[in-house]
Amino acid sequence: MSRSKQFTHDLASLWFQAPLVIALRTQAMMLAAATGSTRENAEMGRMIGEKAAAMVEGTLAAQQAMALQATRAMTQVALGRKPAALTPEPIAHAAMKPFAKRVRANTRRLTKT
């Protein structure tokens, strides 16, 4: 799958599956609160941990994508060539990819019967 198609796939994944994951987790937390169950404490901890890990991973990936583009541009300048235009799409895709991956995994896990 091309990079552009993968980016579109990840965006669509987040657009449709993130609200589903939020709804499923909210429903489970409400049921746990109503019944006094502590079973959902692990899910809440997992939810927070996943968000933190995805944020760090996405930030590092975006920084790496920016550095890669800057390095390519500087190499072109050093060779006396006109550098290619810097594009935000690879940076946005790198930043968003960890979130999309986790949302897809959570959707699969939470919709199992």
Side-chain angles (χ1 to χ4, degrees):
M1 187 178 302
S2 73
R3 179 176 284 193
S4 182
K5 286 185 180 185
Q6 182 63 41
F7 183 53
T8 303
H9 180 262
D10 286 345
L11 282 175
S13 171
L14 282 173
W15 182 265
F16 291 109
Q17 293 178 344
L20 176 63
V21 169
I22 292 168
L24 290 169
R25 282 181 162 163
T26 302
Q27 178 185 17
M29 285 186 259
M30 287 175 54
L31 285 171
T35 61
S37 171
T38 59
R39 185 175 143 242
E40 290 304 313
N41 289 342
E43 183 66 27
M44 287 191 293
R46 181 181 192 158
M47 176 178 60
I48 293 166
E50 283 179 347
K51 283 181 174 57
M55 180 64 72
V56 170
E57 189 177 329
T59 300
L60 293 174
Q63 289 174 345
Q64 183 179 14
M66 284 188 282
L68 181 63
Q69 282 194 30
T71 302
R72 286 180 181 159
M74 291 305 295
T75 302
Q76 294 301 314
V77 169
L79 295 173
R81 299 181 188 145
K82 182 180 177 186
L86 301 178
T87 57
E89 185 179 308
I91 298 165
H93 183 233
M96 189 224 9
K97 190 174 181 178
F99 292 99
K101 182 175 90 174
R102 284 171 175 81
V103 166
R104 283 192 297 271
N106 283 329
T107 301
R108 283 190 300 271
R109 184 176 53 80
L110 293 170
T111 55
K112 284 183 183 177
T113 55

